[in-house]
Amino acid sequence: MGKHVAHIVWDWNGTLFHDIDAVMSATNAAFAEIGLEPITLERYRELYCVPIPLFYERLMGRLPTQAEWDHMDVVFHRHYLDHHLRCGLADGAEALLESWQGAGGTQSILSMYGHEQLVPLVRGFGIERRFVRVDGRTGPSGGSKTAHMARHLAGLDGIPARQAVVIGDAVDDAIAAAHVGAQAVLYTGGSHSRASLVAAGVPVVDSLAEAVAEAERLVG
């Protein structure tokens, strides 16, 4: 096999890192703090969007106050840190990363998880060497990936946006990719329902292996 043409920009949470159970536990803990009833995974995927306060608005019927948002954000991250240690990589992720690199392909991670937390987590799985760059969020949580994507691609020396394919589990991944002129493939294993992903107008897949095949098709 020749060298891959596409560069893959992987999302982390809900894509390479299968942490939806930790996300649901932390979300419901945050909701409980302000008297909201717990929600199911199906309901979460149906309503989820970014910026995160808009997701809470869909649930509450109003935007949370700044004090409510600040409190829920702290509670969410505290519970997430307690639960994510029991989570692992998505099925087949490690082999896919190795195969792509072994065939001469390049790949990177861009996550909205805090950079200082992301890097040791990736390193702990022994996969850091598979990536030319690993970037987590800097600055406040809860926002869009768009500006982060522009900075990430600017840091990928010699890789034009038209050669990049973003693989993620959220509509925001497709929006961020379009913003910089990259392609996107969305994966159903994370935060969104299939119906909401399809509405983004990009390929939607049910496995990471399918996502990689789509990346090759889109750019190759």
Side-chain angles (χ1 to χ4, degrees):
M1 183 183 294
K3 183 174 181 178
H4 296 302
V5 175
H7 171 87
I8 296 177
V9 179
W10 291 98
D11 175 55
W12 179 249
N13 303 91
T15 305
L16 286 177
F17 188 46
H18 187 67
D19 64 345
I20 193 65
D21 291 340
V23 168
M24 288 305 303
S25 176
T27 297
N28 281 324
F31 288 172
E33 289 288 318
I34 62 167
L36 291 177
E37 294 294 319
I39 63 169
T40 63
L41 175 58
E42 181 180 22
R43 181 70 170 158
Y44 179 95
R45 284 174 166 164
E46 178 186 339
L47 296 177
Y48 181 79
C49 65
V50 295
I52 301 300
L54 294 182
F55 169 51
Y56 289 160
E57 182 181 26
R58 291 181 173 186
L59 288 162
M60 300 168 65
R62 62 173 177 82
L63 278 170
T65 66
Q66 187 63 49
E68 286 173 332
W69 161 251
D70 290 343
H71 184 59
M72 287 192 292
D73 193 44
V74 169
V75 172
F76 175 90
H77 284 98
R78 185 174 72 241
H79 282 266
Y80 180 83
L81 285 173
D82 288 341
H83 287 84
H84 86 288
L85 297 175
R86 295 191 288 274
C87 299
L89 297 176
D91 287 345
E94 192 167 0
L96 281 170
L97 296 173
E98 181 180 4
S99 175
W100 187 264
Q101 184 186 44
T106 59
Q107 53 199 334
S108 57
I109 292 176
L110 175 62
S111 174
M112 293 300 283
Y113 193 44
H115 185 76
E116 298 303 318
Q117 293 77 40
L118 173 68
V119 172
L121 189 54
V122 172
R123 189 172 295 146
F125 282 109
I127 58 173
E128 187 181 22
R129 67 189 186 279
R130 306 296 181 199
F131 307 102
V132 297
R133 189 177 182 93
V134 176
D135 285 335
R137 171 186 49 78
T138 57
S141 63
S144 173
K145 209 174 204 176
T146 302
H148 297 274
M149 184 66 71
R151 286 193 294 270
H152 183 74
L153 281 186
L156 297 174
D157 294 336
I159 299 174
R162 66 180 181 277
Q163 193 176 316
V165 181
V166 178
I167 298 178
D169 69 312
V171 172
D172 192 49
D173 290 301
I175 293 171
H179 177 73
V180 297
Q183 302 273 7
V185 179
L186 299 180
Y187 164 60
T188 60
S191 58
H192 278 280
S193 67
R194 170 174 273 277
S196 61
L197 294 179
V198 168
V202 301
V204 176
V205 299
D206 298 315
S207 73
L208 296 186
E210 291 175 272
V212 170
E214 277 295 314
E216 287 195 283
R217 184 187 68 79
L218 287 170
V219 176

